[in-house]
Amino acid sequence: MNNFTKEVMSVGEMASGAKLTVPVYVFETENNSAPSVYIQANMHGAEVQGNAVIFQLLELLQHCNLQGNITLVPYANPVACNHKNGEYTLGRFDPITGENWNRMYHFDQSVIAPFAQQYLDASEEEIADKFQQLLITEIDQRLEHNIWGITTGQRIAYQLQRLAHQADIVLDLHTGPISSKHLYCPEYAKASAEYFDIEHTIFIQNGFDGAMDEATFCPWWSLQEAYQDLGRNFTMGKGAFKKESFTVELGSQEQIDLDVAKQDALGILSYLQSQGVIDNKQYQPQEMTRYACYLKDYKALYSPMGGMVDYLGEFGKPLAAGEPLARILRMDNYGDGEALHYVSLEQDVIPILHFASASVNQGTELYKVFCNYFEL
């Protein structure tokens, strides 16, 4: 028997006193024998496809045999969602501080070693329970007991992170500017990447740069390493350390496609089926060629000149060294110079995303590509 509820969570206040709120949908099951899940979307204002995916998940989960609790939060950042400039949504950066909305989560590395020492001889289950409590308490303290206050972005991020810390699996739904689908996956969870219906995966190490996925897996990975240094071995992704977090990139920003969103939702259910969160064996991963690279090999190519760009590199397809990624039109050179300039690389790559506009300045990020890629 599944219990479905909706709450409205206040994450801040505007100058007028109006509340900033986000909807929180929760499926609770009496079984509760499997990992719990937290899924959020639209932390960046223009990245709206995740909301459509959450809608499709809400529809599909009504008919699933749930084994674990699932929390879903669309419209996670109400400030970014409403940050418009003409017909465009901005919403990648806090307009007050200039900071990336997805770089404001919290992780304090200094708590890891003392905790491991304190609970060196505790059971694995007690360690997991106490550590989860510590992570939530840290967030509560930053929200309620910071005498200097916190920024709007931090207040939103910390309240979302508090929900995420209560889950075993975290999916943060994003999109790129003009982009193919791709997945950010912690290295220890490589096997899980094959259950998403996503052809391209970036494996990330245990390094915290402020993002939601890192804020929820780095503490546990760091704790596992601290215990290893003390002579006690736990395996990330197993037992009480069964914690997995992913950033799921769903394509391009500023648009939704409900039919594609349903396919994306089916891919997520395939992953949840593999983790035992649902017991519905019809949700299985599609057969496809999956490529991956490590984060250090996910490279940005910056425009060598200003101009108007014709993007040539096809997303998701290997591009041979020397083949053009783009051509740049320079009408100011027509008649007394070269009007067309081709941009290529000296190694094989897979184009993943490119800048949203054809008009670029010198130094604009043109493409992001996989280098040194391999098949999963």
Side-chain angles (χ1 to χ4, degrees):
M1 180 69 179
N2 302 328
N3 181 40
F4 175 68
T5 59
K6 174 186 178 181
E7 296 182 2
V8 176
M9 181 173 69
S10 175
V11 294
E13 297 177 354
M14 300 176 69
S16 64
K19 298 287 187 184
L20 293 168
T21 62
V22 299
V24 179
Y25 300 94
V26 179
F27 288 92
E28 291 184 304
T29 175
E30 292 179 355
N31 294 331
N32 199 21
S33 58
S36 55
V37 179
Y38 173 79
I39 303 174
Q40 72 174 32
N42 211 177
M43 190 62 182
H44 289 140
E47 301 182 10
V48 293
Q49 177 69 0
N51 299 317
V53 173
I54 285 182
F55 166 77
Q56 296 289 16
L57 284 170
L58 290 170
E59 293 284 285
L60 292 165
L61 287 169
Q62 305 278 355
H63 310 288
C64 283
N65 183 14
L66 299 186
Q67 305 299 304
N69 298 333
I70 302 177
T71 300
L72 305 101
V73 181
Y75 306 126
N77 184 347
V79 177
C81 291
N82 293 290
H83 188 191
K84 306 291 287 190
N85 186 357
E87 57 190 87
Y88 299 103
T89 311
L90 301 180
R92 175 171 290 273
F93 303 99
D94 183 334
I96 306 301
T97 66
E99 190 174 357
N100 187 325
W101 290 111
N102 193 36
R103 297 295 183 272
M104 300 188 199
Y105 299 99
H106 173 70
F107 170 43
D108 181 3
Q109 179 74 42
S110 69
V111 306
I112 300 298
F115 178 92
Q117 194 68 57
Q118 181 180 358
Y119 293 98
L120 179 58
D121 298 320
S123 68
E124 187 172 340
E125 292 72 21
E126 183 183 5
I127 289 169
D129 181 62
K130 295 292 187 183
F131 191 62
Q132 183 181 58
Q133 290 178 31
L134 173 63
L135 295 176
I136 294 171
T137 298
E138 279 212 309
I139 296 298
D140 287 341
Q141 289 174 342
R142 296 184 74 83
L143 281 167
E144 306 298 340
H145 304 291
N146 189 329
I147 62 172
W148 299 107
I150 54 177
T151 68
T152 300
Q154 288 171 329
R155 185 168 297 279
I156 293 170
Y158 295 162
Q159 289 182 91
L160 297 171
Q161 189 177 350
R162 192 183 192 283
L163 292 176
H165 276 324
Q166 297 172 59
D168 302 304
I169 292 169
V170 175
L171 305 180
D172 192 13
L173 309 185
H174 285 258
T175 66
I178 306 296
S179 177
S180 62
K181 297 177 186 179
H182 53 289
L183 181 75
Y184 286 89
C185 172
E187 286 186 23
Y188 68 81
K190 285 181 182 179
S192 292
E194 298 185 34
Y195 289 96
F196 292 90
D197 291 334
I198 295 177
E199 294 179 331
H200 304 99
T201 298
I202 302 159
F203 292 125
I204 52 182
Q205 295 178 313
N206 187 14
F208 179 65
D209 192 35
M212 169 61 94
D213 57 350
E214 299 161 349
T216 45
F217 76 70
C218 282
W220 292 91
W221 198 346
S222 297
L223 184 65
Q224 178 257 338
E225 291 174 334
Y227 273 109
Q228 190 172 42
D229 291 342
L230 294 170
R232 190 168 180 188
N233 293 320
F234 298 113
T235 303
M236 277 303 301
K238 303 291 184 182
F241 280 70
K242 187 168 181 55
K243 305 288 181 178
E244 294 189 353
S245 304
F246 306 88
T247 295
V248 185
E249 299 279 354
L250 298 166
S252 302
Q253 65 188 26
E254 289 279 50
Q255 60 187 20
I256 69 166
D257 185 319
L258 284 166
D259 293 331
V260 173
K262 186 169 185 180
Q263 295 305 310
D264 294 332
L266 292 174
I268 289 172
L269 292 179
S270 166
Y271 166 69
L272 297 184
Q273 162 70 25
S274 76
Q275 301 300 304
V277 179
I278 61 173
D279 184 15
N280 296 79
K281 292 184 173 52
Q282 71 267 32
Y283 297 120
Q284 298 294 328
Q286 297 180 26
E287 289 190 11
M288 60 178 66
T289 301
R290 292 175 170 84
Y291 292 100
C293 76
Y294 292 97
L295 183 61
K296 64 182 177 60
D297 293 319
Y298 185 44
K299 301 292 189 181
L301 171 67
Y302 298 95
S303 183
M305 64 184 67
M308 305 295 130
V309 180
D310 183 8
Y311 297 98
L312 301 176
E314 186 178 356
F315 287 152
K317 305 298 182 185
L319 185 73
E323 290 295 312
L325 264 174
R327 55 189 171 192
I328 301 177
L329 175 63
R330 286 290 299 264
M331 286 304 301
D332 58 309
N333 289 340
Y334 191 83
D336 57 6
E338 292 293 331
L340 284 178
H341 299 262
Y342 285 83
V343 179
S344 61
L345 291 166
E346 297 179 355
Q347 59 183 305
D348 296 350
V349 298
I350 299 178
I352 298 297
L353 60 83
H354 66 65
F355 192 61
S357 173
S359 175
V360 304
N361 298 322
Q362 187 178 42
T364 295
E365 184 182 285
L366 281 185
Y367 270 95
K368 295 194 81 170
V369 300
F370 280 14
C371 303
N372 302 318
Y373 57 85
F374 48 91
E375 286 190 26
L376 288 182

